[in-house]
Amino acid sequence: MSILDEIKEGVVAGNAKKVKESTERAVSEGLAVAGILNDGLIAGMNIIGARFKVNEVYVPEVLMSARAMHTGMAVIKPLIVSAGIAEKGTIVIGTVKGDMHDIGKNLVIMMLEGAGYRVVDLGIDVPTERFIQAFDEHKPQVVGLSALLTTTMPQMQETVEELRAHHDKVMIAVGGAPVTDRFAREIGADGYAADAASAVDIVAALTAKA
Ligand code: B1M
């Protein structure tokens, strides 16, 4: 079995120790970080996601896989976040109220930090007032919102509208599995990113406009 398959299988099995060890070995053997992330960690999480959908696994298994994925992400974080890059701007980001998913958001944060942005992470289940408070405190170039549930997409809309009412020039980018470019435009967001890499592109474009 290849190291990437070991990482993938470790995530599927929710075996944090194995994922940490295999990821460390992949790094020490010089494998590309993008491959470790996409073909190892994310590939494993996608398998669990598909099983979760058809009730083959339940919340505890998914949580164990998420934890295992986090241990792998912690190993590669220093490689993604290259130290010493001048800060390009500040981004405030959080998962909207009612939504506890943070794996994707955390990946976006790693990529943004790696690209040289200072990121203020508000965490999960973030109410609109907290985004507004953070906007006033940190004066970010871009506010990023994440939502993974169709039931929290209306909350995303509310947060966009209230942030906009609070400050008409705020630049807002949104993302998360059920979010689409069309939905982003409908709710008045300035940008949409389908994945962590495009989040960096959209933030760069919005920062240039801010
Ligand atoms: Co949840 N869950 N979950 N879950 N969960 C989904 C999202 C679901 C699709 C599973 C399914 O049924 N197939 C489904 C949603 C269905 C829907 O709304 N249509 C679902 C459900 C139903 C639920 C619960 C309601 C289950 C229950 O309790 N009955 C519950 C809700 C809890 C809540 O939030 N209130 C729940 C709970 C959980 C866990 C706690 C067990 C766990 C979360 C752990 C954690 O995040 N710490 C969990 C997980 C892990 C998942 C799946 C399996 C994986 C999500 C994930 O991390 N993907 C997911 C199924 C799936 O998506 N395959 C599922 C990997 C991640 C890298 O991708 O998050 O899409 P993603 O992020 C991407 C992009 O979307 C984008 O970049 C990221 C990196 O490329 N992106 C952004 C994300 N945020 C961005 C922000 C940006 C830009 C880009 O801002 C600028």
Side-chain angles (χ1 to χ4, degrees):
M1 195 190 285
S2 75
I3 307 181
L4 294 183
D5 282 339
E6 279 180 29
I7 296 171
K8 186 170 74 182
E9 291 305 320
V11 171
V12 171
N15 187 336
K17 190 166 173 269
K18 182 176 168 193
V19 171
K20 182 169 183 283
E21 282 167 8
S22 304
T23 309
E24 282 170 347
R25 199 150 45 81
V27 168
S28 70
E29 292 190 12
L31 267 73
V33 174
I36 299 175
L37 189 58
N38 295 322
D39 303 329
L41 297 167
I42 293 182
M45 209 59 218
N46 284 342
I47 293 174
I48 275 292
R51 291 186 186 167
F52 187 43
K53 195 171 180 178
V54 295
N55 296 324
E56 273 177 24
V57 297
Y58 298 94
V59 172
E61 288 96 330
V62 178
L63 272 180
M64 283 176 70
S65 292
R67 231 172 270 140
M69 178 161 178
H70 273 128
T71 63
M73 277 162 57
V75 173
I76 57 172
K77 186 172 179 182
L79 302 174
I80 295 179
V81 182
S82 33
I85 299 174
E87 274 174 15
K88 291 184 185 162
T90 299
I91 315 301
V92 160
I93 191 166
T95 303
V96 299
K97 188 174 161 196
D99 202 319
M100 311 296 167
H101 297 83
D102 67 356
I103 297 174
K105 168 186 70 64
N106 293 345
L107 264 175
V108 170
I109 291 173
M110 274 192 219
M111 297 292 280
L112 287 173
E113 288 179 342
Y117 294 92
R118 180 172 86 94
V119 182
V120 179
D121 179 13
L122 302 182
I124 54 171
D125 192 21
V126 182
T128 301
E129 314 81 68
R130 181 74 191 95
F131 280 106
I132 292 176
Q133 198 185 37
F135 178 81
D136 290 340
E137 190 182 338
H138 301 285
K139 310 271 181 292
Q141 277 69 32
V142 180
V143 177
L145 308 179
S146 182
L148 261 289
L149 299 170
T150 45
T151 50
T152 54
M153 288 168 75
Q155 178 61 42
M156 183 175 254
Q157 175 166 13
E158 186 196 303
T159 302
V160 169
E161 286 170 359
E162 291 193 23
L163 262 169
R164 188 81 69 215
H166 178 74
H167 197 290
D168 61 354
K169 296 269 186 312
V170 58
M171 288 287 179
I172 307 170
V174 297
V179 178
T180 59
D181 192 26
R182 184 174 168 186
F183 176 75
R185 276 185 272 118
E186 278 169 9
I187 65 172
D190 302 287
Y192 157 75
D195 54 44
S198 29
V200 174
D201 296 338
I202 195 72
V203 161
L206 296 181
T207 304
K209 281 198 217 166

